[in-house]
Amino acid sequence: LQMLEHNDREVRRTAIKALSSFNDVEGELLPFLKDGDWATRKAAAEALGKNPQGAVKKELERLLDSEEDPIVKKVIEDSLKKHSIVVGQ
């Protein structure tokens, strides 16, 4: 978890990806959906989108409307579609 606070964005992204296989890390990863670096947002969306439930699902749905980067937006859309959450309604 300490690596999430590292100064190097690549180290943070790697930490996010590594944590994606653990349970109950949503609280640590959610803030990265608002990171200034699109690749970090993408990594967080991929990690959290593996099984979006509750607050994670709501945050992904909310970000779908506000995310400006097309790559990150596609990751969010794919995650929501994959988990049978209707997109765009």
Side-chain angles (χ1 to χ4, degrees):
L1 290 175
Q2 292 177 346
M3 300 310 277
L4 292 174
E5 298 176 21
H6 199 279
N7 289 334
D8 186 321
R9 289 184 287 206
E10 186 60 38
V11 171
R12 287 194 307 267
R13 288 192 294 264
T14 301
I16 290 167
K17 291 174 187 177
L19 287 172
S20 70
S21 61
F22 290 91
N23 294 324
D24 301 323
V25 294
E26 295 86 0
E28 285 79 13
L29 299 183
L30 274 170
F32 291 99
L33 290 172
K34 298 176 184 173
D35 195 272
D37 174 52
W38 73 268
T40 300
R41 292 194 311 277
K42 177 181 175 277
E46 289 171 338
L48 292 166
K50 288 186 176 184
N51 188 23
Q53 301 290 323
V56 171
K57 174 186 155 194
K58 288 180 182 180
E59 186 64 15
L60 289 174
E61 290 173 329
R62 188 187 69 72
L63 285 174
L64 188 60
D65 294 329
S66 63
E67 178 58 54
E68 294 181 7
D69 186 277
I71 295 171
V72 178
K73 191 167 191 152
K74 177 84 167 109
V75 167
I76 295 169
E77 285 176 350
D78 290 348
S79 173
L80 293 173
K81 285 179 185 177
K82 180 179 175 183
H83 295 284
S84 302
I85 299 168
V86 178
V87 175
Q89 295 199 9

